[in-house]
Amino acid sequence: VPVSEVTVQDESFAENYLKNFFNMTEQKGPSTRRGISPLSKKLSEMQRFFGLHITGALDGETLEMMKKPRCGVPDGKIAR
Amino acid sequence: FSTFGNSLKWEKNSLTYRIENYTPDMSVAEVDDSINRALQVWAKVTPLRFTRIYSGTADIMVSFGRQSHGDYYPFDGPSGTLAHAFAPGSGIGGDAHFDEDEMFTFSSNRGYVLFLVAAHEFGHSLGLSHSDDPGALMYPVYSYRDPSTFVLPRDDVNGIQSLYGSNPS
């Protein structure tokens, strides 16, 4: 069984990152239990933007990119 | 490159800027020079011209602050977000804010080179959004480059000229 390299704290960090920079909204209600989760969709979007391997899952490579110093303007969006 | 929605841009080529406060990380002269050179990066390839003012409201207000600093977009302490800037517009539009919890430098790779961060932020101030080209200045992740030999990458030149055209002189 592969050892997970992503902690609960990492997941929380990633959710905040995706809310800040990829316009991810809060996950609410039972509709999120079916199909691809909003988190996975936003992870795929982020991985595509940065040219990473697109898995839709939080992995070490994705987390490393999220932790790099960066500009605080949401990608491709106007801060309203 | 990418621009903000509806190709948001300044409807004039003469813009003013004002440095509201300074970081203690660098001398006043170093901050002044870094900010001026960061604006000139864009002026070189467009008809845009920048004039510094010392009082009143400028098109581009430059400031350093930490955590909550008055714009509802608080900074996050050391590392993470280095700075942010607002798209062209009145009021807070065009303004650039730098996270005082970061260590800014004039040219060293120990800390973040203010010139590089500012040049990126002023791209937003002028209407550019983030680029997905890792070599572009408008790529959202910081990477060190020698400021003394900096040349604006082609992706950024194409982006800014799509909004303002090329430098007539």
Side-chain angles (χ1 to χ4, degrees):
Chain A
V1 177
V3 177
S4 172
E5 57 188 347
V6 176
T7 64
V8 173
Q9 287 86 351
D10 289 336
E11 286 176 359
S12 172
F13 171 83
E15 278 193 35
N16 281 329
Y17 179 96
L18 293 170
K19 283 176 192 166
N20 284 338
F21 300 119
F22 285 85
N23 203 28
M24 190 176 79
T25 51
E26 295 284 344
Q27 298 178 55
K28 288 177 185 172
S31 61
T32 59
R33 292 179 188 165
R34 292 183 181 182
I36 302 169
S37 76
L39 180 67
S40 182
K41 273 186 184 175
K42 286 295 172 184
L43 275 169
S44 297
E45 192 181 316
M46 182 236 164
Q47 289 163 337
R48 188 175 300 109
F49 181 90
F50 283 110
L52 304 175
H53 189 50
I54 301 170
T55 62
L58 186 61
D59 51 27
E61 181 189 41
T62 306
L63 201 53
E64 189 184 343
M65 178 58 82
M66 287 179 172
K67 290 185 175 176
K68 284 186 176 177
R70 58 162 292 149
C71 168
V73 172
D75 297 317
K77 304 267 188 292
I78 302 172
R80 296 185 189 283
Chain B
F1 68 87
S2 72
T3 57
F4 294 113
N6 300 324
S7 294
L8 201 55
K9 57 175 276 194
W10 295 99
E11 296 303 331
K12 56 186 180 182
N13 288 336
S14 291
L15 298 170
T16 56
Y17 74 99
R18 179 180 164 196
I19 302 172
E20 292 188 272
N21 61 1
Y22 287 85
T23 172
D25 303 342
M26 299 162 58
S27 71
V28 167
E30 286 176 333
V31 172
D32 286 349
D33 184 62
S34 299
I35 296 297
N36 177 51
R37 282 188 297 115
L39 288 166
Q40 295 315 312
V41 160
W42 300 106
K44 264 184 201 162
V45 297
T46 64
L48 293 169
R49 298 294 175 262
F50 300 96
T51 304
R52 184 175 178 183
I53 64 171
Y54 294 84
S55 62
T57 305
D59 297 308
I60 299 171
M61 299 288 276
V62 176
S63 63
F64 295 84
R66 58 166 50 92
Q67 301 287 348
S68 290
H69 54 280
D71 64 1
Y72 302 106
Y73 297 92
F75 284 133
D76 55 358
S79 72
T81 296
L82 306 178
H84 58 212
F86 293 84
S90 59
I92 203 168
D95 295 358
H97 302 161
F98 299 87
D99 185 353
E100 189 52 83
D101 279 328
E102 311 303 339
M103 178 69 183
F104 290 108
T105 71
F106 186 65
S107 59
S108 166
N109 58 7
R110 291 183 183 175
Y112 301 110
V113 176
L114 179 61
F115 160 74
L116 295 173
V117 180
H120 173 103
E121 296 309 327
F122 294 147
H124 293 313
S125 301
L126 300 174
L128 291 181
S129 185
H130 282 147
S131 171
D132 62 5
D133 177 350
L137 177 64
M138 294 312 295
Y139 192 63
V141 175
Y142 176 89
S143 63
Y144 175 81
R145 300 166 216 204
D146 184 348
S148 66
T149 56
F150 178 83
V151 176
L152 188 64
R154 173 47 58 183
D155 181 71
D156 305 293
V157 174
N158 292 343
I160 202 68
Q161 290 186 343
S162 76
L163 294 173
Y164 299 99
S166 57
N167 188 336
S169 57

